[in-house]
């Protein structure tokens, strides 16, 4: 939502939500067809999606740590100045942002659909269809409803802060103070989740690695009072490390390939 005018935030979220719904309209029947015609294709597709999540996460980290705060501030100032330019096509900027968000949503939706399908693989076809449709609707409405609430949190805070009622005014001020920290926290949690989920998908897809992690967790579980905690935490940490490594490798390969391709052209 960076760079989107406040009065255009909800329309942009709504556009992405519509794109997400279309993604699921495509993905649900595709996943069901693959489960019947080519079930062997689902695990590789799931791992490709997991790799993409790791790539996205590491690219975000690389961008943050390879650019100084001064560079980030200068870039932000350029964006603000550009958006203030009346000759800038705001609609085109919004369409580019929406398209990018829908592309990312497609990958995440595919992961959700395939994982959900895996949990009901032994059920009847009718049950599979019902569960996939239900989860798709809940995720689309729930996620983008929450996103809409978050992006308008500062506006709600500003509105309440101007109220004469002391309690409402205080709540509004706290919302205004807390909104930036919430956004930053969600950014950190989201990046970590990319590594944990992506890495988890990859480790589950490599049988030897998955069994090794399970055996290690089982052995750790025997260590005194901390055993159960280690058994629960260590596999997740390993998933995160695997996700970080896969993300680093993928970013390096994509960057190198991009430079080679650019050099040839």
């Amino acid at each position: 939502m960076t760079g989107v005018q406040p009065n255009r935030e909800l329309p942009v979220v709504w556009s992405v939500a519509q794109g997400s719904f279309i993604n699921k309209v495509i993905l649900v029947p595709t996943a069901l067809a693959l489960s019947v015609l080519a079930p062997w294709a689902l695990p590789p597709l799931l791992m490709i999606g997991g790799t993409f999540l790791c790539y996205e996460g590491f690219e975000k980290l690389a961008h943050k740590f390879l650019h100084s705060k001064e560079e980030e501030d200068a870039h932000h100032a350029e964006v603000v100045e550009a958006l203030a330019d009346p000759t800038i096509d705001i609609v085109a900027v919004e369409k580019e942002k929406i398209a990018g968000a829908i592309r990312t949503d497609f990958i995440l939706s595919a992961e959700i659909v395939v994982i959900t399908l895996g949990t009901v693989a032994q059920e009847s076809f009718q049950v599979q269809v019902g569960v996939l449709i239900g989860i798709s609707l809940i995720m689309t409405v729930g996620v983008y409803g929450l996103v809409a609430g978050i992006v308008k949190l500062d506006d709600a805070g500003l509105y309440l802060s101007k109220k004469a009622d002391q309690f409402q005014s205080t709540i509004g001020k706290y919302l205004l103070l807390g909104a930036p920290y919430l956004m930053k926290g969600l950014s950190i949690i989201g990046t970590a989740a990319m590594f944990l989920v992506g890495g988890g998908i990859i480790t589950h897809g490599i049988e030897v690695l998955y069994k090794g992690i399970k055996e290690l967790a089982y052995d750790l579980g025997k260590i005194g009072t901390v055993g159960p905690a280690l058994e629960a935490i260590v596999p997740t940490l390993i998933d995160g490390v695997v996700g970080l490594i896969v993300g680093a490798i993928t970013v390096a390969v994509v960057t190198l390939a991009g430079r080679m391709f650019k050099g040839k052209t």
Side-chain angles (χ1 to χ4, degrees):
M1 303 304 294
T2 303
V4 175
Q5 299 295 332
N7 65 324
R8 293 293 303 160
E9 288 175 342
L10 290 182
V12 167
V13 173
W14 172 239
S15 295
V16 178
Q18 289 178 299
S20 177
F21 180 76
I22 294 171
N23 285 341
K24 293 177 179 67
V25 168
I26 296 169
L27 289 166
V28 168
T30 301
L32 288 168
L34 284 174
S35 69
V36 174
L37 303 174
W40 53 267
L42 291 177
L45 289 174
L46 198 59
M47 291 189 69
I48 291 171
T51 302
F52 176 80
L53 289 179
C54 298
Y55 167 80
E56 288 271 284
F58 196 86
E59 187 182 43
K60 187 171 183 178
L61 284 182
H63 179 79
K64 180 175 181 61
F65 289 107
L66 293 178
H67 295 81
S68 66
K69 186 177 184 304
E70 290 73 19
E71 290 176 314
E72 290 292 324
D73 291 342
H75 174 69
H76 179 72
E78 289 176 4
V79 171
V80 172
E81 184 179 353
L83 291 172
D85 188 342
T87 63
I88 294 294
D89 188 349
I90 299 298
V91 174
V93 173
E94 285 186 4
K95 285 183 177 180
E96 184 179 350
K97 287 177 174 289
I98 291 167
I102 292 174
R103 283 194 299 270
T104 302
D105 176 274
F106 186 87
I107 299 297
L108 296 174
S109 295
E111 301 292 322
I112 292 168
V113 168
V114 174
I115 290 171
T116 302
L117 183 59
T119 62
V120 294
Q122 304 306 317
E123 303 294 335
S124 66
F125 184 75
Q126 291 81 357
V127 171
Q128 292 179 11
V129 173
V131 170
L132 284 177
I133 292 175
I135 291 296
S136 296
L137 289 173
I138 291 171
M139 290 302 297
T140 303
V141 174
V143 167
Y144 289 101
L146 181 61
V147 169
I150 291 173
V151 298
K152 301 306 289 185
L153 191 63
D154 52 349
D155 290 340
L158 181 61
Y159 173 78
L160 289 173
S161 68
K162 295 179 179 179
K163 289 287 186 179
D165 181 79
Q166 184 64 36
F167 177 74
Q168 292 182 346
S169 177
T170 301
I171 293 295
K173 289 175 182 177
Y174 278 116
L175 285 176
L176 283 173
L177 289 172
Y181 296 102
L182 174 63
M183 297 294 186
K184 187 173 182 179
L186 288 173
S187 177
I188 294 171
I189 292 171
T191 303
M194 285 183 173
F195 293 124
L196 294 174
V197 175
I201 290 170
I202 292 168
T203 57
H204 278 68
I206 303 174
E207 188 175 356
V208 174
L209 183 57
Y210 178 63
K211 286 184 177 179
I213 293 173
K214 285 193 70 176
E215 291 174 2
L216 174 62
Y218 178 75
D219 292 337
L220 290 173
K222 299 177 182 178
I223 302 176
T225 56
V226 298
L230 291 174
E231 187 176 6
I233 295 172
V234 169
T236 302
L237 293 177
I238 293 175
D239 289 345
V241 171
V242 170
L244 191 64
I245 294 171
V246 171
I249 293 172
T250 309
V251 167
V253 170
V254 171
T255 302
L256 181 61
R259 289 178 179 176
M260 291 175 62
F261 180 78
K262 186 177 180 180
K264 289 181 180 180
T265 58

